[in-house]
């Protein structure tokens, strides 16, 4: 009896040893890809349940897979209306997937490990470093704690403000709607429970400002927010923080001014708005392409010039280590600085009296080029799968860029996608969320010895 029990216990131990050995042979990007895939599959199964549907009938595996992928990749593209098609249970599942995808599953793993009193090993620290885009493996556990606190603090504040604004629908529902949209906004997901996204609140300052602040702060990145909280001085901020803040400010002003000027000539979007509402609409729509996915005016009714500007802003995206997507603003700034320095005759690429390593410039170039190729290939595939004519290419390019940059804005093509088109966009959203991150890790090289000149600092890429 004892010998049999011993034999039964030995078999599982061998299986566990095999699993642990396989895990140890995997790189952090491989583990991240596997876990994200598992989370998407779990989300798909839950969203495909009749319980997740408002009608009591399953939405189908393909649409459930599309929604789960969009949520975990904090994208926001949808093939069915979230507020009317999914039940409260389904909406809660979507909200959990958004929070998990925005914070990163490793952050939740750290929280569980701390509660259980378990040690965070080197392998886990490398995965945290990969998911948070940190340049160092030191202080990552504390950074994870800060990430959770920052996220919950801003989401709670957003919930309260939005609930107060929407209290006329009932305090219970207002709190629920406030929570859902706060989680969606802070994580740059763009999911909304209103059928027209936020178009009904185009002139509402509370809704506009609250949502914008949430997705801008989330898009800056936890590392930047923590840096601001700790140092509270521009001079003491890291090079990465300075580049992100300055670049974000410039792009926000550019987006606002461009949309305001262009759409003021468009009666289909600004024609029925007064002066103050036009300013709010331009403010919101100039900010949202940075990866949030909400809209207060009809994207398909905008001028082609405005739509093209939005495509550019979506491709750039938010900042590394944040909840947004795109090639990242810091990646773009590094390439601009390198271009300017080249025009000046070459030499060190630097900013704020800090040298940017040539490896960083090369990684930035690799991220931009690979992302550009990916968007163009996806646009080509969608053109074929959807049988789009030449005059609709801007619409296809818009959709491809939105999917890859995990922005979630659409000109209307998403809801009309064929099964093949849905699968293409699903793969694109997944690749857009994990591709640049994994690429940056794969291209990471050992630091070279510093040379005479500006002190070397780090800028996060991808």
């Amino acid at each position: 009896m004892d010998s049999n029990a011993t034999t039964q216990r030995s078999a599982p131990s061998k299986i566990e040893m095999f699993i642990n050995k396989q895990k140890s042979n995997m790189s952090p990007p491989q583990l991240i890809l596997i876990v994200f895939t598992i989370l998407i599959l779990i989300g798909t199964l839950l969203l495909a349940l009749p319980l997740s549907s408002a009608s009591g009938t399953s939405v189908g595996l393909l649409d459930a897979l599309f929604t789960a992928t969009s949520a975990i990749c904090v994208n926001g593209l949808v093939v069915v209306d979230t507020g009317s098609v999914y039940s409260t249970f389904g909406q809660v599942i979507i909200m959990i997937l958004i929070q998990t995808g925005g914070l990163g599953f490793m952050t939740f793993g750290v929280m569980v490990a701390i509660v259980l009193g378990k040690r965070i090993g080197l392998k886990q620290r490398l995965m945290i470093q990969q998911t948070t885009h940190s340049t160092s493996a030191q202080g990552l556990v504390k950074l994870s704690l800060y990430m959770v606190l920052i996220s919950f603090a801003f989401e709670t504040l957003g919930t309260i403000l939005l609930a107060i604004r929407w209290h006329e629908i009932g305090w219970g529902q207002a709190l629920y709607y406030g929570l859902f949209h706060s989680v969606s906004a802070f994580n740059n997901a763009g999911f909304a429970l209103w059928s027209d996204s936020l178009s009904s609140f185009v002139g509402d300052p509370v809704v506009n400002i609250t949502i914008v602040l949430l997705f801008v702060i989330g898009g800056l990145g936890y590392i930047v927010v923590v840096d601001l909280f700790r140092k509270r001085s521009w001079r003491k901020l890291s090079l990465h923080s300075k580049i992100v803040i300055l670049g974000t400010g410039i792009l926000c002003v550019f987006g606002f001014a461009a949309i305001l000027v262009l759409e003021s000539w468009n009666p289909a979007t600004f024609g029925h708005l007064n002066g103050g509402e036009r300013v709010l609409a331009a403010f919101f729509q100039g900010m949202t392409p940075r990866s949030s996915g909400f809209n207060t005016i009809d994207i398909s009714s905008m001028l082609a010039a405005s739509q093209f500007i939005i495509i550019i802003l979506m491709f750039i995206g938010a900042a590394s280590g944040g909840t947004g997507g795109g090639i990242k603003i810091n990646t773009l700034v590094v390439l601009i600085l390198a271009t300017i320095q080249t025009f000046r005759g070459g030499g060190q690429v630097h900013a704020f009296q800090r040298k940017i390593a040539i490896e960083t410039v090369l990684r930035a170039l690799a991220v931009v080029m690979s992302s550009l190729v990916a968007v163009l290939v996806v646009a080509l595939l969608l053109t074929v799968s959807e049988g789009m004519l030449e005059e609709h290419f801007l619409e296809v390019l818009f959709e491809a860029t939105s999917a890859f940059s995990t922005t979630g804005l659409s000109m209307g093509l998403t809801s009309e996608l064929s099964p093949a088109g849905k699968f293409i966009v699903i793969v694109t959203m997944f690749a857009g969320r994990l591709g640049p991150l994994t690429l940056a890790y794969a291209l990471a090289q050992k630091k070279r010895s510093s040379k005479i000149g500006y002190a070397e600092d780090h800028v996060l890429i991808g």
Side-chain angles (χ1 to χ4, degrees), residues 331-410:
T331 305
L332 176 67
V333 171
V334 167
L335 287 184
I336 291 175
L337 292 173
T339 302
I340 293 174
Q341 192 61 35
T342 301
F343 288 157
R344 289 179 174 176
Q348 295 180 351
V349 179
H350 56 84
F352 301 105
Q353 296 185 331
R354 288 292 185 271
K355 184 181 77 172
I356 300 175
I358 187 61
E359 293 87 351
T360 302
V361 177
L362 293 176
R363 288 166 59 190
L365 181 61
V367 167
V368 171
M369 290 304 298
S370 60
S371 299
L372 182 60
V373 169
V375 168
L376 294 178
V377 169
V378 171
L380 175 62
L381 293 176
L382 286 177
T383 302
V384 175
S385 69
E386 308 309 302
M388 304 300 287
L389 300 177
E390 181 182 352
E391 58 265 27
H392 297 292
F393 181 74
L394 184 63
E395 183 179 352
V396 175
L397 181 62
F398 192 103
E399 212 78 11
T401 307
S402 180
F404 186 80
S405 64
T406 69
T407 301
L409 292 174
S410 176

Side-chain angles (χ1 to χ4, degrees), residues 10 37 58 65 182 255 302 341 371 380 399 411-412 430 440 446 457:
S10 63
T37 302
S58 174
L65 175 62
S182 293
M302 297 178 74
Q341 192 61 35
S371 299
L380 175 62
E399 212 78 11
M411 291 175 61
F430 188 76
K446 294 183 179 180
D457 208 335

